Amino acid sequence: MQQQHPPVSQQFDDVYFSAHGGLAEVQHVFHTGNNLAARFAACQQQGDTFTIGELGFGTGLSYAATVQLWQQAQHQQPANQQNNAKLVFVSVEKFPLEWSDMVAALTPWPAVLALLTPLAETYQQHSSANQPTWLTHEQDNITLKLGLGDVADILPDYPSNINAWFLDGFTPAKNPAMWTPEVLQYIAQKTMRSTTPHLNGTCATFTAASAVRRGLQENGFHMQKCKGFAFKREMLMGNM
Ligand SMILES: C[S@@+](CC[C@H](N)C(=O)[O-])C[C@H]1O[C@@H](n2cnc3c(N)ncnc32)[C@H](O)[C@@H]1O
């Protein structure tokens, strides 16, 4: 990774997150795109387990920002009504960054970086291991499951109850392996179908590429375009 902000992958010639604000981008694309604030509040009230599936762990920004949103929902719940709700965050990474690069990437957001820091030891132990391998990290009522390896090898082992997807490979033109028809098919297969609105599966992505929209539609998602982050005209969100 090139040491600059936002971080850039030389291999893929693409940024890990927007130059207009990585945290704000995660909040716009993945949190709002999956309506997470309201759904997390409902989980807190009802003691549900909510599972997020991400493609592309990268710097860990989306994960740590989501832990922050989950904790905010938890703190808004009166103490005598806390129902032991659980968050499971499942992700994949083929090219794990050095821990020091992840810390540097998240430095503009100290409160978010603090939520990534407990992962340091486990991440550094696993990221140098022979791939593919799974890392599990538990923190209060939050579990991270990170598959280290290629998406094609790891995605089949994702759980089949994903409530919300963060589709965050590099842009499809530069990183086609993260957006193949097989990957899009697995995403749909692994998505929760539920008549309980806050648990029924959704997906969101920064790209508006028509092949991605069509591929998700063909596998059962109702897709819509909405305003992208910052200068981006469009992004995609969908629900089962
Ligand atoms: C846009 S970045 C993800 C940013 C990340 N969500 C964050 O919060 O920093 C895309 C990620 O996908 C990973 N990636 C690219 N091709 C992959 C593949 N075939 N399998 C697994 N991961 C891959 C890249 O190494 C990179 O970390």
Side-chain angles (χ1 to χ4, degrees):
M1 185 175 82
Q2 213 164 301
Q3 284 288 4
Q4 61 187 78
H5 222 272
V8 175
S9 161
Q10 287 165 328
Q11 183 179 355
F12 289 97
D13 182 29
D14 201 0
V15 286
Y16 282 79
F17 46 73
S18 170
H20 296 267
L23 178 58
E25 181 183 39
V26 170
Q27 290 165 338
H28 177 86
V29 176
F30 299 119
H31 293 177
T32 305
N34 283 298
N35 191 24
L36 286 192
R39 296 169 79 192
F40 281 3
C43 287
Q44 293 296 336
Q45 279 158 17
Q46 292 171 35
D48 292 322
T49 295
F50 194 93
T51 304
I52 290 176
E54 179 185 56
L55 299 191
F57 189 72
T59 65
L61 175 61
S62 323
Y63 162 71
T66 305
V67 170
Q68 185 181 53
L69 185 70
W70 178 261
Q71 290 183 344
Q72 283 163 359
Q74 195 174 5
H75 294 142
Q76 279 160 11
Q77 185 72 1
N80 62 351
Q81 287 174 34
Q82 286 184 359
N83 274 324
N84 219 11
K86 292 187 173 55
L87 176 68
V88 180
F89 193 102
V90 188
S91 191
V92 59
E93 182 51 61
K94 184 175 184 180
F95 309 102
L97 292 172
E98 293 292 330
W99 182 257
S100 57
D101 287 336
M102 296 166 71
V103 171
L106 269 61
T107 298
W109 309 285
V112 174
L113 173 58
L115 297 170
L116 188 72
T117 307
L119 185 63
E121 198 180 322
T122 321
Y123 181 87
Q124 289 175 95
Q125 275 165 7
H126 284 77
S127 56
S128 52
N130 284 336
Q131 294 186 350
T133 183
W134 281 88
L135 159 174
T136 302
H137 175 73
E138 305 218 12
Q139 197 178 333
D140 302 325
N141 50 9
I142 300 169
T143 304
L144 169 68
K145 295 182 184 192
L146 174 57
L148 294 164
D150 192 281
V151 66
D153 298 322
I154 298 287
L155 189 53
D157 292 330
Y158 271 40
S160 299
N161 60 346
I162 303 288
N163 301 106
W165 286 97
F166 295 6
L167 305 181
D168 201 17
F170 290 120
T171 193
K174 295 178 174 176
N175 189 195
M178 286 289 253
W179 308 92
T180 63
E182 292 73 22
V183 165
L184 300 180
Q185 201 175 358
Y186 265 117
I187 289 167
Q189 260 178 37
K190 301 279 181 183
T191 301
M192 174 75 130
R193 277 85 169 153
S194 173
T195 51
T196 305
H198 69 275
L199 297 179
N200 192 44
T202 61
C203 64
T205 176
F206 64 89
T207 181
S210 50
V212 172
R213 181 169 49 85
R214 269 199 312 274
L216 291 167
Q217 266 166 350
E218 281 163 10
N219 285 289
F221 279 99
H222 299 280
M223 299 301 299
Q224 67 181 91
K225 286 183 185 169
C226 56
K227 171 75 184 79
F229 177 68
F231 66 91
K232 285 193 179 163
R233 210 156 44 94
E234 291 172 328
M235 57 168 266
L236 296 173
M237 51 195 238
N239 63 293
M240 260 298 159

